[in-house]
Each structure stands twice: as structure tokens, then as C-alpha cells.
Amino acid sequence: MKLHEYEAKKIFKKYGIDVPKSFLIKKGDDVELKEFDEAVLKAQVLVGGRGKAGGILFTNKENFKEKVEELFNKEIKGEKVDKILVEEKLRIKKEYYLSITIDRNEKKPVIIFSSEGGVDIEEIAEKHPEKIIKYYVDIKKPFLPYIGREIAKKAGVEIKVGDIIYKVYKIFKELDATLVEINPLVITEDNKIYAADAVIHLDDDSYFRQDFSEFEEYKNKENLPFAYVELDGDVAVIGNGAGLTLASMDTIYDFGLKPACFLDIGGGADEETTKLALKKVLENKKVKGIFINVLGGITRCDEVAKAIVEILKDNPNIKFSVRLTGTNEELGRKILEEANIPYSTSMYEAGKRLAESLRFSL
Ligand code: GDP
Ligand code: MN
């Protein structure tokens, strides 16, 4: 889950990292610039490189309203702007780059620091690879403040940058983040240090021990009781268990079909969950057929069958094929037979039947 810049900066502040003075405005708010003479308007959209995409505007008291309107009317890399963070413009002397993420090859958190910040890290890596410092964290040892200071020393920058590195690591660890990035980390003309930008990505799998409730992306998200990933094809694939769902995708590929989604209703899915899953895929107008593959373990075939009957009643024209086997198979079969819905206990046969029925309509 990605946090907006203003949300990430609230966290920075809490951890003692200085951020510019600011206030947040929403589309439709009628506001003037009183607090500071010169301001930076920052579109709160969840994409990187807003500066280059026109999402960062500089303004003053005179042209404030105009610029605000201009930014609200823009789309930044396809995202609408409905909030703007108004910040006091900093007098920047130097810009650094700092991030912490997980290095999957090393299987360790990695701290990346560069004294050439402000631009894309890819650009720094290309032009000044010698200016990028990587430090792999040994998670078995405590992360102590001196480690931050050593990185700062190695980079040849102000030693107080080390304090920021220490605090950023604390955030990374305590919040179960997958990325914390400050680009640029700024030294101002009066030698103060500020996080001028803030990116935090949190690990969705840490929801059981973290409180996401205050974050926008979490609040806006549909809380579906299953894993759902939209894809490019036109056949919805529903299975129980990730492995079986992937195998179902392979099966329909073998018959020349392409999945419109991966939907894993999980182990123990009941009638309600199955209905929700079917409704979810039917919302997608691209979907021409549904392939549902359930191997009843904890999940009961009769529950799945009941859901199928209910949903197909309202959607009689959708091409549909079901493979159903396992717990309560007899009961499930009876429910489907009574409703005249063909089924199969073989994944291959069910896939083949769907391909045949679709061949005439695609
Ligand atoms: P991003 O493009 O999404 O990474 O957005 P940033 O918040 O990093 O802003 C883009 C660039 O605008 C930064 O790299 C800075 O060079 C510049 N910038 C942002 N805030 C200020 C500021 O307060 N003063 C000055 N002079 N430049 C700023
Ligand atoms: Mn930035």
C-alpha cells in the first residue's frame, strides 16, 4: 500500500524528521496564501516523478489561486488531482537521495544514499555510480545510530544526515514498510536539513499488526474477501487456492483462451464468498466466459453450487464452465443438475467445454 506524500510526512514528523511547513487543500476549497511568501504546490497523487509530469508548481501570494486551479485541472500520469499539499518553498543548497527497501537477492534491507539527489535514482546510477552508497542491514543486530553516521561519513556529507538515516530505518522497521524514500533530502542555505519529498510503501501482509485505518488508500479500497488480480483477457478464472487458480489459467491457455482475471476464493469459501466472486467478475464488461475450478477440501461443493445457481439465474447468457470435485460433491452435483448446469470433475474437460462454447461467440 502506498501512502500519499502528506501522510508520509506526518509520519516523518512523528519520528523527528523535519519537513517543510505546509497545509493541505482539497478541490473546491477557497484558500489564500497567508502563511508564507513563496510556496510549492504538490499534487497528492500516488505516482513517482510528479515534478517532470507537471505535478509540482511554484507559486507566490499573487498568483496562488491561479496556480492552484491550474494544478487541480491537471491529470498527472493519468491520476486526477483532488488534494494539493502547499509547502513553504525551501532555499535549497544541496539535494541528496536516501531510501531503504528490501534487496531480494541479498535478502536484507538495503540503505541507498547518494549525495546527488533530486533526480531519478536510475539517472544517478547511470551518471555517477560512484556516488551511490549501498549498505546492507544485518537484521540480527540492533540498528544503532552510529551506522547512520558512518554512511554519512562515507558519502562525505554532513554528519547530521546520519541521524536522518537512523530515523528512516526506524520507520522502515516499525511500520513494516517495503520502501521509505526521501528524494530530495535537502540542505537549505541556512544549513538545515529537511525531507522535501516523502515516499512510504507499506507491506499489505502486515495488516494484522499494523493500523492502516487512517490511510487514504486503505480507506478507498474495496475489502474483498479474496485475492483478485485483473488481467487482459476475456475469461474470468476463479479457483480455490493460488496453485489451483494458476493451473486453471494454464488450462484455459491450452485451449486458446486468455484470462480476464485471477481470482482465488481461498480455502473454506462459502456460498456468500463464491457469489461475491462471481458478481465481481461479472462487473467486468470484457468478461465473455467464466471458468470456475473448485477442489472441495474445507470448501463444500454444495455451497459453491448454490452460489453458481443463484448467479446464473440473473446472468443466463454468460458462457460458463465449472469443475467441481471433493467435499460434498454428490450434493453439489445434484444442485447443478437440478438447475441444468453442466459440470465436470476434470479440470481439462471443463476447460475444453468452455473453449467449445466460446468458439462460436468469440
Ligand atoms: P517528485 O517529482 O514526485 O519526486 O516530487 P518532489 O517532491 O521530489 O519535487 C520535485 C522537485 O521539485 C524536487 O526534486 C526539487 O528539486 C523541487 N522542489 C520541491 N520542493 C522544493 C522547494 O521547497 N524548493 C525548491 N527550490 N525546490 C523544490
Ligand atoms: Mn521526489
Side-chain angles (χ1 to χ4, degrees), residues 44-64:
Q44 297 302 287
V45 287
L46 294 172
V47 295
R50 293 166 303 171
K52 282 186 193 160
I56 308 283
L57 299 180
F58 294 91
T59 177
N60 53 37
K61 281 184 169 148
E62 283 72 53
N63 65 7
F64 181 71

Side-chain angles (χ1 to χ4, degrees), residues 40 42 49-51 56 58 88-90 92 95 118 183-184 196-197:
V40 188
K42 313 185 84 181
R50 293 166 303 171
I56 308 283
F58 294 91
E88 181 171 29
K89 188 176 168 194
L90 302 169
I92 298 180
E95 294 184 309
N183 186 26
D197 193 6

Side-chain angles (χ1 to χ4, degrees), residues 5 42 48-51 56 97 118-120 181-184 196-199:
E5 178 188 11
K42 313 185 84 181
R50 293 166 303 171
I56 308 283
Y97 174 94
V119 287
D120 298 339
E181 184 187 69
I182 307 179
N183 186 26
D197 193 6
V199 173

Side-chain angles (χ1 to χ4, degrees), residues 150-168:
E150 278 194 344
I151 296 170
K153 214 167 131 193
K154 202 168 155 204
V157 299
E158 295 78 355
I159 218 71
K160 62 187 171 189
V161 168
D163 181 44
I164 307 281
I165 296 174
Y166 175 69
K167 286 170 179 165
V168 169

